């Protein structure tokens, strides 16, 4: 049986590893691309293509753990060349919460800023420091003035993360809402792709 490779966004690494362990998927390798590519989504298709080319030479079955992620359909064009599939939806919020839920949240309050476990963990670096808010708090109003609330889409029900997400909302001066999503379509997609054909044997690598 061909080995299975998951080419993944680094922002999903923790969740994918948890699913590998929970399902005892041992004949699976994970190759993560830098999470910071989300700041330059135009670079995602080329980065995925390079990993797909390497995987093709190794004769591996490949799943791409990205949504469209701001590539404007370019990622799908790359995947079509290799007959590969990706996670459903436009972004990781769709993956975790589902497209219908995200549409309902956006209709209820268009000015919503979303957090996931990854973004809560890295809020200080990705939001406060990289946007300059840590040094210049007045910039929070410039960047987030059109937002009204933060919705934390939680993969794990952990009080410490919940508290950190609520604190992040206060730092931005926004209302806070908590929703536990679990792993959503990340789990169902991997169960379908990996679980049906993977022997119980694991390894993951970057």
């Amino acid at each position: 049986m061909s080995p299975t490779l998951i080419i993944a966004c680094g922002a999903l690494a923790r969740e994918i590893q948890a699913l590998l362990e929970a399902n005892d998927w041992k004949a699976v390798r994970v190759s993560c691309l830098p999470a910071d590519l989300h700041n330059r989504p135009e670079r995602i298709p080329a980065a995925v293509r390079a990993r797909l080319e390497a995987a093709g030479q190794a004769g591996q079955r490949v799943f791409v753990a990205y949504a469209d992620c701001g590539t404007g359909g370019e990622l799908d064009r790359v995947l079509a060349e290799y007959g590969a599939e990706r996670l459903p939806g436009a972004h990781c919020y769709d993956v975790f919460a589902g497209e219908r839920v995200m549409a309902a949240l956006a209709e209820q309050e268009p000015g919503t800023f979303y957090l996931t476990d990854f973004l809560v963990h890295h809020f200080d670096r990705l939001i406060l420091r990289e946007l300059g808010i840590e040094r210049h708090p007045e910039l929070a109003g410039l960047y987030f003035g059109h937002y009204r609330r933060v919705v934390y889409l939680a993969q794990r029900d952990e009080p410490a993360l919940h508290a950190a997400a609520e604190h992040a909302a206060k730092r931005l001066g926004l209302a806070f809402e908590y929703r536990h999503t679990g792993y959503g379509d990340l789990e169902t997609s991997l169960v379908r792709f990996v679980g049906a054909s993977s022997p119980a044997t694991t390894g993951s690598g970057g």
Side-chain angles (χ1 to χ4, degrees), residues 12 63-68 85-89 95 185-186 189-190:
L12 300 179
F63 184 85
V64 176
Y66 271 92
D68 178 74
E85 63 177 295
R86 64 166 173 86
L87 293 167
V95 170
D185 282 333
L186 177 63
S189 295
L190 294 187

Side-chain angles (χ1 to χ4, degrees), residues 12-182:
L12 300 179
R14 184 190 297 262
E15 288 73 23
I16 291 172
Q17 186 59 41
L19 289 169
L20 292 179
E21 293 172 1
N23 290 279
D24 198 27
W25 290 329
K26 297 184 177 180
V28 178
R29 189 169 68 88
V30 181
S31 179
C32 287
L33 291 166
D36 289 351
L37 280 175
H38 274 287
N39 295 331
R40 299 298 300 272
E42 72 278 5
R43 296 181 178 178
I44 292 174
V48 171
R49 181 193 296 277
R51 298 291 173 97
L52 285 169
E53 288 179 355
Q57 295 171 5
Q60 300 178 87
R61 298 175 64 251
V62 183
F63 184 85
V64 176
Y66 271 92
D68 178 74
C69 297
T71 68
E74 287 300 319
L75 179 58
D76 284 335
R77 282 185 271 278
V78 170
L79 299 185
E81 295 177 26
Y82 293 86
E85 63 177 295
R86 64 166 173 86
L87 293 167
H91 39 61
C92 58
Y93 312 126
D94 284 351
V95 170
F96 289 131
E99 293 178 79
R100 282 184 293 182
V101 169
M102 291 304 300
L105 287 170
E107 183 176 0
Q108 180 188 65
E109 175 51 78
T112 300
F113 183 72
Y114 299 97
L115 293 173
T116 62
D117 287 4
F118 175 84
L119 289 173
V120 172
H121 272 293
H122 299 281
F123 180 82
D124 286 358
R125 177 175 66 86
L126 294 177
I127 305 300
L128 299 184
R129 286 200 287 275
E130 290 197 6
L131 295 181
I133 296 172
E134 190 171 66
R135 288 179 291 107
H136 302 285
E138 67 276 10
L139 290 176
L142 178 63
Y143 286 117
F144 295 94
H146 62 293
Y147 288 101
R148 297 292 176 265
R149 68 175 178 180
V150 167
V151 173
Y152 172 30
L153 305 171
Q155 286 67 73
R156 288 163 294 156
D157 188 12
E158 293 187 8
L161 286 175
H162 190 156
E166 191 164 10
H167 180 68
K170 289 179 181 177
R171 291 290 301 270
L172 300 178
L174 302 174
F176 177 75
E177 182 177 328
Y178 174 87
R179 286 180 176 247
H180 180 252
T181 67

